[in-house]
Amino acid sequence: MRRPSLHAVGRRLRSRLFRLWIYDLPLLLASLVQGRGEPVPLVLLITGIVLFLVGLFPLPVSDSEPLVEFRLGPFRIVLPIRALARYGMGLGFVLIGAGIVIWMAGRWGASRAGFWRALEDLGVRVVWDGEAEGFRERLDAAMGFALGRGPSGRLLPLYVPRREEEEALRILQEHVWGSEKQAYGVVIAGPPAAGKTRTAMELAIRLNPPLVLVWPRGRKEGAQPFLRGIKIPIPRAPVLADDLPLRPREEGPSLPEGLMDLLWACPRLALLATARTDRIPPDVRGVRVVELQAMGREDCQGLAQAVAEAEGRRVEEVWGRFAGHPGSLVAGLDVFIQRYQELPAEMGRVLGVQEAARRDRLGEMGQRFLQSARALWDLGVRTLTLERVWGVVERAGGAAVAPADRNPVLRALETLAFLRVEQAKRGEVARFYEGILTEAIPPPGAEWERTAWETLRERKDAAAFIEIGNTWAEEYSPAYQRNPREALRRAIAAYEEALRFYTPDVAPLAYAMTQNNLGSAYSALAAHEDPVGNLRRAIVAYEEALRFRTPDVAPLDYAATQ
């Protein structure tokens, strides 16, 4: 076994000290002043004052021995006052000084700890140490199923370098980290299955950062914005954002608001994003776009061989899917289309089920699960929890699905690399590579979408309807660009559906958030039809939101609505 070099050991030590300084220590200090129970500085101050007074004014002699009791975190301390009288003043000074120091340190750590808690609240994942062993695998896990591991379900270590990498690195060095900040980052653009995400990940690794932040897909509602000017000491770390939505026709940067808050809070962060070429607005601002160019077969010979070995196929079969980009070799959408069509046999093979009737039933259930996920996705739901998907499956099939059938279906679909199940805040979530979800699984049709809508309504899933409204209301989405009137009408219908369950009595702040979103949708629709009527409806919704978004309860939300 090869021993690590002194350079590697030094690098690991510096990385650990860096993490201790900017992450572990602030969280520890913040917990001392913001944790459960009495704050430690307050306990020390009170104890110090008591000891100081005991030393300054000794108690008269009596038969009983007076005691002082206090708690310091998990510890319970009981001390005789008379024994401390001789040293009370000195100990009091020490404890008072310690309380003041810890209070000041806690204030320093609290703002930085708030930064990391805001990241967690937004769903941003942190992957530490770009040079450590297994970094690529940890980064892949943090990005969910975005990389599209292909039919083999494995992350191939082989990567075909792109000529555009040097241009992207030059932009980062000169325009993002240069003496004058001219951009927030780089967007890697290309067609579906071009290898955009893998290229961005490999660029992040080449930068050899102490950490990488992975920005979640979709817009997060209810999260507090980052305080601008915190300036967390992160030297030249990237933020990876896959399939980043970019805003068209607006003043200022074309980036989502939450991401802009993060980049403002930490100016040394650099954005490394990906986006499909057809989803980049012509007037994109704040970022530089680097488009991946097609490559020849001679550049991808080694990758084709590696894919063939991983999938157990002939190289000629793998070359049949080549579309000018290395990603098309890895994605293998043709394989997933075939697997979907032959799902009963495929699931029977991976599960070892010989009985034809059970194999066909599990295969049909697997297809129905994938169709339900596609229906929810087309509807606008972006968090595909297992409960949501199984709810649509059961409503479409007219019967409940027992856990004894659910578990093997999910196990088989994961083995066949259709999806990955992850634990999230809202429960278990099915993560799909978007190319598989939208290309390999055929569109279920309007009837399936109605079934999905009715399932969410029956479950009183207000959060899902908020996601639907946000998906259709985003002006940078393809649906909005195709038909903004229809998109906004669907967003309004979803928000109004959510208001059936987010009521002022049950969830006043969620109700106010939905009313605010509804007002924004009506305001946008006014630019396309009935301007007077829609603006009046927008004002009514905004005023309703302000009943609960007050300066005392939610000052930032109140300001946004105003």
Side-chain angles (χ1 to χ4, degrees), residues 16-100:
R16 185 58 202 169
L17 291 175
F18 174 80
R19 179 174 179 176
L20 176 67
W21 172 249
I22 72 167
Y23 181 78
D24 296 320
L25 184 60
L27 290 178
L28 173 63
L29 294 174
S31 68
L32 296 178
V33 298
Q34 297 177 340
R36 295 181 179 178
E38 295 295 333
V40 172
L42 180 61
V43 174
L44 291 176
L45 285 172
I46 294 175
T47 306
I49 292 172
V50 171
L51 291 177
F52 180 81
L53 293 176
V54 168
L56 187 62
F57 305 106
L59 295 176
V61 178
S62 64
D63 295 334
S64 62
E65 179 75 6
L67 303 174
V68 60
E69 177 181 339
F70 61 93
R71 292 183 178 274
L72 186 61
F75 303 102
R76 175 175 174 268
I77 302 175
V78 180
L79 297 173
I81 292 182
R82 186 177 293 109
L84 293 174
R86 183 181 304 176
Y87 308 104
M89 293 182 65
L91 287 174
F93 271 123
V94 171
L95 292 180
I96 291 172
I100 294 174

Side-chain angles (χ1 to χ4, degrees), residues 468-486:
I468 294 170
N470 292 345
T471 299
W472 289 98
E474 293 291 6
E475 63 176 323
Y476 44 70
S477 67
Y480 190 102
Q481 294 300 303
R482 286 194 302 269
N483 190 337
R485 292 185 184 183
E486 177 63 23

Side-chain angles (χ1 to χ4, degrees), residues 2 54 62 81 98 136 151 175 186 268 272 282 331 336 350-351 367 375 387 414 417 425 469 491:
R2 187 179 65 178
V54 168
S62 64
I81 292 182
R136 184 177 283 104
H175 299 284
V186 174
R268 301 304 290 172
L272 263 178
F336 285 105
V350 300
L351 292 174
Q367 286 183 328
E387 287 305 311
E414 284 195 276
K425 286 186 177 180

Side-chain angles (χ1 to χ4, degrees), residues 8 59 78 88 95 99 114 120 152 154 160 177 196 205 209 232 235 246 312 343 356 389 398 411 474 502 538 540:
L59 295 176
V78 180
L95 292 180
E120 182 181 359
S152 69
R154 291 157 44 192
V160 179
W177 290 322
K196 303 182 295 294
I205 294 174
I232 300 296
L246 298 168
L343 198 57
V389 180
R411 188 167 68 251
E474 293 291 6
Y502 279 161
V540 170

Side-chain angles (χ1 to χ4, degrees), residues 390-392 394-396 450-462 465 497 500-501:
W390 282 120
V392 179
E394 292 176 340
R395 188 176 185 90
R450 281 194 295 271
T451 301
W453 184 281
E454 292 168 0
T455 302
L456 298 175
R457 177 188 290 170
E458 185 179 83
R459 294 169 53 86
K460 300 181 179 180
D461 197 341
F465 287 112
E497 192 71 37
R500 298 179 58 185
F501 314 112

Side-chain angles (χ1 to χ4, degrees), residues 187 201 395 426:
V187 176
M201 187 179 79
R395 188 176 185 90
R426 297 185 189 174

Side-chain angles (χ1 to χ4, degrees), residues 236-291:
R236 300 194 173 194
V239 181
L240 277 179
D242 197 54
D243 281 340
L244 182 69
L246 298 168
R247 298 177 181 272
R249 300 185 309 276
E250 285 191 1
E251 296 298 329
S254 301
L255 304 176
E257 184 177 352
L259 182 56
M260 275 304 306
D261 289 334
L262 172 61
L263 296 174
W264 269 91
C266 191
R268 301 304 290 172
L269 290 176
L271 179 64
L272 263 178
T274 69
R276 287 172 50 167
T277 305
D278 57 355
R279 296 182 182 178
I280 296 179
D283 56 348
V284 63
R285 300 182 180 92
V287 291
R288 301 289 188 270
V289 178
V290 175
E291 186 169 356

